[in-house]
Amino acid sequence: MGSLHLWVLILLPLTGVLSDNSEWGVEYPGPICAVRGSNVIIPCNYSYPKPHNVQTVLWCSMNSNKDNKCVNPPYVYNSSSPDASDVFQYTGDKQSNCTLLISNVQFSHSAVYKFRFITNNDEGKWTGDPGVTIKVGALPVIRQSGNGTLKKGDSVNLTCDVNCSHSSPQFVWFKDSKRLPASGSVLHLPALTVEDSGSYSCALKTDEAVRSETLSINVDGSLKGFNLLWLIWVVFIIILVVLALIILAVICKKRKKAKAKEEAAEGSGRKTQDGESTHEGQTKLQTNQVTQPGEDATYAPVCKKPDKLKKRKKNAAQEENNGETGRKTQVGESVQRSQEALLEPGDVMYASVSIKPNKPKGSPVSTVHLEEDDSVIYSAVAGK
């Protein structure tokens, strides 16, 4: 709602006041308390002797008419004037009803109003006394409790009352232009929530169209008296987040372990392949080192190195053996040639030769013998 000031009308009916002359008179209601912006009805009745006929009816305000008898203008209403007013409208007649309607009453309309009528007789003119008093007041909404910033869990009381009346009229309440089920001059709002924030107004139950000024209420969301339900929800959400993080950490850890196992398996496979390649190379080397018939034999070195003294003795023995082997070889060759001369074509000759390979001095490779210091025996077959 905007800040437009609206006011409510309250009528306090009193016994009408008639003139001393029982045949001439005007009957008014008691003082009227009106709310700004409302429409005020002034009920009125008048009388006169017969056979007078009413020709003109007039209403005047004592704020503008200073003679107190409404004899001279200005008038708020004059039936003889062609200019009609949008604010003051005569709803009576020229017989007995003198009711006046004031539309959209404002504070400036607070005054004493009198009715005057004129008949077709020169002496038939009458103004009713003492008139009717209209007071225009406010219909405020007052916050009686909950001073300062309103927080969640606070309570507040709103009061609606007309400041120009001592009566207790019935009121209705509105929040953001929507009718509330509550009624009465006091609206109690216990245990406020954020949803209670809004603009509040009130109106007389007899005229809901005319409402008071609005009163805004803002409830701070960070309130004291923190709602237990909200606390439970917060704790529940935190627990869910923690569980999700734990599950995520476990999944990541398992993935890392699986990846590490895969990498280890791949590394082991590569090592196995390298070992197999090395073993195949060594096997081929050893195979290549096996001598064919008539060739010297080569053997893998022994990891344990002989002592220098043994090495010297061994070298000396080898030199002696080499000399003997040379001599034996020469003898054998002579014998073989003699035998070949004696053989007939197609005969097979076998020879047993013991050969001891020569080893260069200072070589890092030592020859492995089947038995220490024994010669390797080979058989050579000579055939045609």
Side-chain angles (χ1 to χ4, degrees), residues 291-303:
T291 58
Q292 298 297 328
E295 295 181 354
D296 294 340
T298 304
Y299 297 90
V302 178
C303 294

Side-chain angles (χ1 to χ4, degrees), residues 72 108 111 119 149 172 224 240 252 255 262 307 311 379:
N72 299 311
S108 60
T119 68
T149 302
V172 291
K224 71 178 184 180
L240 288 180
C252 292
R255 288 182 178 177
E262 290 178 359
D307 296 338
K311 195 172 183 179
S379 295

Side-chain angles (χ1 to χ4, degrees), residues 157-321:
N157 290 332
L158 303 181
T159 301
C160 183
D161 196 7
V162 181
N163 58 8
C164 62
S165 174
H166 297 290
S167 63
S168 299
Q170 291 295 315
F171 296 94
V172 291
W173 290 90
F174 299 85
K175 176 181 179 289
D176 297 330
S177 301
K178 294 182 180 180
R179 171 79 179 272
L180 298 176
S183 62
S185 59
V186 178
L187 177 63
H188 181 59
L189 299 175
L192 290 172
T193 64
V194 177
E195 289 73 18
D196 291 323
S197 298
S199 298
Y200 291 82
S201 62
C202 65
L204 285 172
K205 192 173 183 178
T206 56
D207 191 0
E208 295 183 10
V210 180
R211 301 179 188 178
S212 68
E213 292 180 316
T214 59
L215 176 67
S216 295
I217 291 181
N218 295 316
V219 181
D220 188 357
S222 61
L223 312 170
K224 71 178 184 180
F226 193 81
N227 194 301
L228 180 60
L229 182 60
W230 282 105
L231 179 60
I232 294 173
W233 273 107
V234 170
V235 173
F236 179 71
I237 292 172
I238 292 175
I239 292 174
L240 288 180
V241 172
V242 172
L243 289 176
L245 292 176
I246 292 174
I247 293 171
L248 184 61
V250 171
I251 292 173
C252 292
K253 189 174 182 180
K254 288 184 177 180
R255 288 182 178 177
K256 288 182 179 178
K257 286 184 177 180
K259 188 175 180 180
K261 288 182 179 180
E262 290 178 359
E263 292 178 353
E266 291 177 358
S268 176
R270 288 194 297 269
K271 289 181 179 179
T272 302
Q273 292 176 357
D274 294 342
E276 290 177 352
S277 300
T278 304
H279 179 69
E280 289 177 359
Q282 291 178 351
T283 304
K284 290 179 180 180
L285 180 60
Q286 293 175 359
T287 304
N288 293 333
Q289 288 177 349
V290 175
T291 58
Q292 298 297 328
E295 295 181 354
D296 294 340
T298 304
Y299 297 90
V302 178
C303 294
K304 185 177 179 181
K305 293 182 180 181
D307 296 338
K308 291 182 179 181
L309 181 59
K310 290 182 178 181
K311 195 172 183 179
R312 292 193 189 100
K313 291 180 179 181
K314 195 172 184 179
N315 290 336
Q318 286 179 354
E319 289 177 0
E320 293 178 358
N321 290 335

